[in-house]
Amino acid sequence: MSFQEGQKYTGGTMAHSAHVLNTIDVGIWEYNITTKKVIWSAGFYKNLGYAPCEIDCSQRYFFDELLYYKDRDTFINTIRHASEEPATTQIRLLTKKCGYHWFESKAYKTETEAGTVLYGIISNINEYKLLEYQAAENSFLCAETNRIAKMGGWEIQTESMSLRLSKEIYDIYELDAQVPLSVEEAISFFEPAYRPLIIDAIDNAVKYCKPYDMELLFRSAKNNLKWVKAKGVPVLDKYGKCVVLRGIFQDIDSIKRRGINLQSSINLLDDQNKRLQNFAYIVSHNLRSHAGNLKFMVNLYEETDHKSDRDEIFSHIKTISNSFNATMGHLDEIVKIQSEIGRERKPVNFEKTFNNVLSALTTNIAAANATINADFSSCKQINYIPAYLESIFQNLLTNALKYKHPDRAPVINCYTKQSGNHIYLIFEDNGVGIDMQRYGNDVFGMYKTFHQNPDSQGIGLFITRNQVEALGGSIKVESTVNVGTKFTVRLV
Amino acid sequence: MVHQPISAFIIDDDKIFVYGFNKLLQLRHLDAQIQAFNNGKEAIDFLTNPINSQFLPDIIFLDINMPVMNGWEFLKEFEEIQSQLGKKISIYAITSSVDVNDIERAKNNTLIKDYILKPINDTHLKQIFNLHGDEYVSKAQLS
């Protein structure tokens, strides 16, 4: 007899066991396939809530009255596979008072002198089963919530820096297989510019127990760019050392993009608002100065009797009247820009438009002895409002001629450039230049002039900027005094 | 008292205003010597030239919006050269700007004695010339 065998009960001890079987809290049953005889232990009745003689101890009663009909097939199936090794399953049996309860059933088959015997144990697992249901429901809810929120949980063991990610995170990473990722690998999915941020945050969390909550740009395995929220909270041991770093990872792309759009709309509005206010001040200033001068001159006219004085004053009144008209013209032009934004854009040919402007300015060009080099081969045409493009060309060209250097003939280079979705128009001159340090902020301002040219009105570049920006572009200027000026216009 | 006309600078690129200002003083018989400058830079150049040390003004009428060097830029430069001038000069801002930023800025600038909105009128003249010698006011037929 092996040592193992010695641990088993033998026939000699079985008689004493009957007493034990009847007192323990599990139900035991036995069915002799040969004799069809059924025995149920006292625990069997007790587990179901019956007194031993209250129900019929038979195979028929078990299958027809006690076993839940849906569990019948599973039960029979397990019993069929029973042997010396237990066949385990979970079944529902009708209790006397509480309806069906869950039981764990273990069934064995053994050959005895009295024939083939099936026997088994049932034990009430209803409470455990209910908890299991609840847990399943909770985890379903949790998984469902996470799926809807596109959010997952992660954990780093700081000792080994091993990383564990929930399934939802793999979904965000767009990795099909849930292959283990190292912290470095997980970080490598962030856009390069954002990697130092997340590395620092993890470092600080591990070293100084500093939690973090960041919004970062991320590129998934399938090359989708998205905004994500990465939140990390250190878990400390009793010495205050961070042992685990855990957190959430969430795809917030749609929210973030909406936020970014909103912010850029706000910035745009803010910008427009500032410009509008500035415009209002300028308009008020200019109209006021004309009106003021007019009143001033009229008063003086009334006060003086000298013919020569009156003539002079009247000539000033004429000048004021002309300036007044010019200012109104500028205002019309600016207001027109706003009303024309909605006009249809058409394909406009750069070279053709430029040549139109050149021929209109022939006299000015000849007078300045200017050389003009134009090259629109990089981008020949653009979808734009034709009148705007013409106006932009005209203002920039007039500007370059107007602010030519006194010591040299103007050389003006004009060309287009395409980069990504953007089309650029570049204008370079070798004129007097603008002191950017002093006037950089004012170059595109209304009625801002930096030279003492009598024909400087400070309106051309203001209008150009308005036209460019009204169609979603931008304009910038680089300049060096006595060297020249370069305007770069992003048209779209 | 020895009669000595008030000397004033007017720094303004608005030629019509400068003409009107001169004419008004003439009509009011305000004996003032007015020198006009197109912008701040011209005035600073004049003030810093040692040759002109005896022609420094009592008053400067300063416009704010001007090309080349505007009123604010002039004030900045003026602050630096002020101590070398050896004369107390009163500065009045005269402008058409109703921009609250300009008004606020003028209020906070200790160099500016007052902020006068164009066009200038008799009340302004009276105020200013009153402050700079009674004999001129008595001569003037101010209403």
Side-chain angles (χ1 to χ4, degrees):
Chain A
M1 195 167 70
S2 75
F3 179 73
Q4 281 280 321
E5 297 257 305
Q7 302 292 314
K8 287 186 174 171
Y9 289 104
T10 61
T13 57
M14 277 305 270
H16 310 289
S17 309
H19 177 68
V20 177
L21 291 180
N22 282 332
T23 47
I24 61 167
D25 199 27
V26 292
I28 296 170
W29 55 269
E30 195 181 290
Y31 174 62
N32 190 317
I33 295 175
T34 324
T35 62
K36 309 278 186 224
K37 194 177 171 224
V38 176
I39 306 169
W40 292 343
S41 74
F44 188 95
Y45 292 101
K46 199 175 149 207
N47 257 284
L48 294 170
Y50 298 102
C53 44
E54 214 176 325
I55 47 172
D56 183 16
C57 174
S58 69
Q59 190 197 0
R60 189 203 58 81
Y61 192 84
F62 180 81
F63 280 106
D64 291 353
E65 306 293 335
L66 295 179
L67 185 62
Y68 186 56
Y69 74 100
K70 278 196 172 167
D71 294 344
R72 204 187 144 101
D73 290 345
T74 3
F75 184 72
I76 292 173
N77 212 17
T78 12
I79 285 181
R80 207 169 273 151
H81 292 102
S83 64
E84 295 280 339
E85 291 301 309
T88 309
T89 185
Q90 293 174 348
I91 52 172
R92 276 157 289 188
L93 298 173
L94 188 64
T95 62
K96 184 179 176 186
K97 284 179 184 151
C98 312
Y100 285 100
H101 265 199
W102 279 99
F103 288 84
E104 184 179 74
S105 151
K106 280 187 198 291
Y108 303 82
K109 187 153 87 178
T110 184
E111 299 298 331
T112 67
E113 289 156 14
T116 309
V117 172
L118 281 169
Y119 64 97
I121 305 165
I122 56 162
S123 54
N124 193 315
I125 54 162
N126 204 51
E127 226 164 282
Y128 155 80
K129 196 71 184 172
L130 287 182
L131 284 175
E132 191 183 89
Y133 270 129
Q134 214 168 9
E137 186 159 346
N138 283 346
S139 85
F140 167 77
L141 269 181
C142 185
E144 218 20 39
T145 317
N146 284 348
R147 193 182 62 77
I148 294 164
K150 296 186 181 173
M151 181 174 78
W154 55 267
E155 202 173 80
I156 295 173
Q157 301 291 331
T158 54
E159 185 74 25
S160 58
M161 283 310 272
S162 60
L163 174 68
R164 220 158 53 86
L165 305 168
S166 78
K167 183 191 167 294
E168 291 81 12
I169 293 188
Y170 283 95
D171 290 345
I172 297 174
Y173 271 77
E174 295 189 279
L175 287 168
D176 292 333
Q178 294 183 25
V179 284
L181 291 179
S182 70
V183 175
E184 288 75 24
E185 282 164 342
I187 288 171
S188 72
F189 282 78
F190 290 90
E191 280 291 280
Y194 293 85
R195 276 176 219 162
L197 297 178
I198 183 85
I199 291 170
D200 271 6
I202 293 175
D203 256 18
N204 283 335
V206 173
K207 278 191 202 143
Y208 311 115
C209 305
K210 227 174 101 184
Y212 65 86
D213 182 355
M214 295 188 299
E215 293 176 357
L216 307 159
L217 208 49
F218 177 89
R219 196 177 286 279
S220 77
K222 292 186 179 157
N223 206 21
N224 289 319
L225 196 63
K226 46 186 157 189
W227 281 98
V228 293
K229 187 183 196 54
K231 207 168 170 173
V233 185
V235 179
L236 312 187
D237 66 6
K238 60 180 174 180
Y239 305 105
K241 189 172 163 282
C242 170
V243 282
V244 172
L245 184 63
R246 68 166 66 114
I248 58 134
F249 191 66
Q250 187 177 16
D251 177 348
I252 54 161
D253 198 58
S254 58
I255 304 167
K256 182 76 179 176
R257 285 195 196 279
R258 236 175 290 155
I260 291 171
N261 279 343
L262 203 63
Q263 193 52 51
S264 72
S265 300
I266 291 170
N267 290 347
L268 193 75
L269 274 180
D270 215 41
D271 250 31
Q272 283 180 338
N273 220 9
K274 272 195 201 122
R275 263 177 20 223
L276 204 62
Q277 194 178 26
N278 191 246
F279 177 67
Y281 279 136
I282 289 158
V283 168
S284 135
H285 172 265
N286 277 272
L287 295 184
R288 189 178 281 272
S289 75
H290 295 319
N293 275 345
L294 193 59
K295 190 175 165 214
F296 202 9
M297 290 303 120
V298 169
N299 286 347
L300 290 177
Y301 188 90
E302 281 174 340
E303 276 193 44
T304 180
D305 297 327
H306 293 289
K307 167 105 179 45
S308 64
D309 275 352
R310 285 199 152 194
D311 285 350
E312 186 165 16
I313 293 168
F314 190 73
S315 82
H316 288 314
I317 291 178
K318 267 205 242 168
T319 312
I320 294 165
S321 159
N322 289 336
S323 326
F324 227 137
N325 254 325
T327 302
M328 293 314 291
H330 298 154
L331 296 185
D332 280 350
E333 222 167 314
I334 290 151
V335 172
K336 215 167 73 187
I337 295 172
Q338 296 307 316
S339 62
E340 280 178 349
I341 298 173
R343 269 222 231 158
E344 209 184 330
R345 299 186 191 202
K346 299 181 203 167
V348 196
N349 185 282
F350 280 109
E351 193 160 357
K352 232 168 118 185
T353 313
F354 191 66
N355 286 338
N356 285 347
V357 174
L358 279 186
S359 59
L361 292 173
T362 316
T363 350
N364 307 42
I365 295 165
N369 193 21
T371 312
I372 293 167
N373 307 310
D375 176 10
F376 304 111
S377 54
S378 290
C379 178
K380 290 183 175 143
Q381 67 170 34
I382 185 174
N383 239 6
Y384 218 66
I385 297 176
Y388 277 19
L389 190 65
E390 200 169 311
S391 160
I392 292 165
F393 272 138
Q394 177 164 352
N395 277 328
L396 291 176
L397 195 55
T398 319
N399 225 52
L401 292 171
K402 209 190 273 180
Y403 302 113
K404 68 185 169 75
H405 199 278
D407 301 342
R408 55 183 177 247
V411 178
I412 299 161
N413 297 320
C414 176
Y415 53 95
T416 51
K417 210 172 74 183
Q418 184 145 18
S419 169
N421 291 329
H422 298 310
I423 295 174
Y424 294 87
L425 176 67
I426 292 125
F427 241 89
E428 289 168 341
D429 67 46
N430 62 343
V432 283
I434 302 164
D435 183 346
M436 293 304 289
Q437 207 125 42
R438 283 181 66 181
Y439 303 119
N441 294 330
D442 288 337
V443 174
F444 300 104
M446 192 182 186
Y447 295 119
K448 300 282 186 189
T449 51
F450 319 106
H451 306 91
Q452 275 181 293
N453 275 13
D455 52 349
S456 297
Q457 291 185 316
I459 195 78
L461 288 178
F462 178 79
I463 287 177
T464 299
R465 188 185 72 168
N466 269 270
Q467 288 172 328
V468 169
E469 289 183 358
L471 295 188
S474 63
I475 182 166
K476 67 174 180 120
V477 60
E478 297 154 76
S479 189
T480 311
V481 173
N482 284 329
V483 176
T485 305
K486 176 182 178 183
F487 287 96
T488 306
V489 185
R490 182 171 63 73
L491 290 166
V492 288
Chain B
M1 224 184 246
V2 186
H3 173 80
Q4 208 180 2
I6 279 190
S7 142
F9 280 8
I10 175 157
I11 306 172
D12 196 331
D13 60 327
D14 182 348
K15 297 217 165 43
I16 294 174
F17 179 77
V18 173
Y19 164 82
F21 190 76
N22 272 310
K23 199 89 225 153
L24 186 65
L25 292 179
Q26 192 192 324
L27 287 170
R28 296 284 171 275
H29 304 286
L30 283 164
D31 192 7
Q33 266 184 356
I34 306 286
Q35 193 159 357
F37 297 90
N38 253 321
N39 59 63
K41 175 132 194 340
E42 286 182 10
I44 289 287
D45 287 347
F46 183 95
L47 291 171
T48 49
N49 192 338
I51 299 170
N52 302 321
S53 60
Q54 49 187 322
F55 304 114
L56 299 181
D58 302 302
I59 313 172
I60 290 175
F61 297 102
L62 180 67
D63 188 22
I64 301 295
N65 294 307
M66 284 178 290
V68 183
M69 184 190 282
N70 68 26
W72 302 122
E73 289 164 339
F74 171 81
L75 287 166
K76 218 170 122 195
E77 300 251 336
F78 184 81
E79 199 170 6
E80 277 168 33
I81 61 161
Q82 192 184 18
S83 59
Q84 303 153 32
L85 294 176
K87 184 171 183 182
K88 175 100 184 74
I89 301 173
S90 307
I91 299 177
Y92 291 86
I94 295 201
T95 170
S96 308
S97 173
V98 283
D99 186 335
V100 282
N101 296 322
D102 280 346
I103 294 170
E104 201 53 37
R105 208 166 151 189
K107 252 190 215 157
N108 294 329
N109 192 314
T110 48
L111 287 173
I112 296 179
K113 249 194 139 89
D114 208 351
Y115 189 89
I116 297 164
L117 277 179
K118 285 179 183 177
I120 196 159
N121 59 26
D122 288 344
T123 325
H124 291 140
L125 283 184
K126 198 172 167 182
Q127 275 172 4
I128 294 161
F129 285 86
N130 235 339
L131 291 167
H132 292 274
D134 292 330
E135 74 265 39
Y136 304 113
V137 177
S138 60
K139 268 191 204 168
Q141 299 151 0
L142 295 176
S143 52

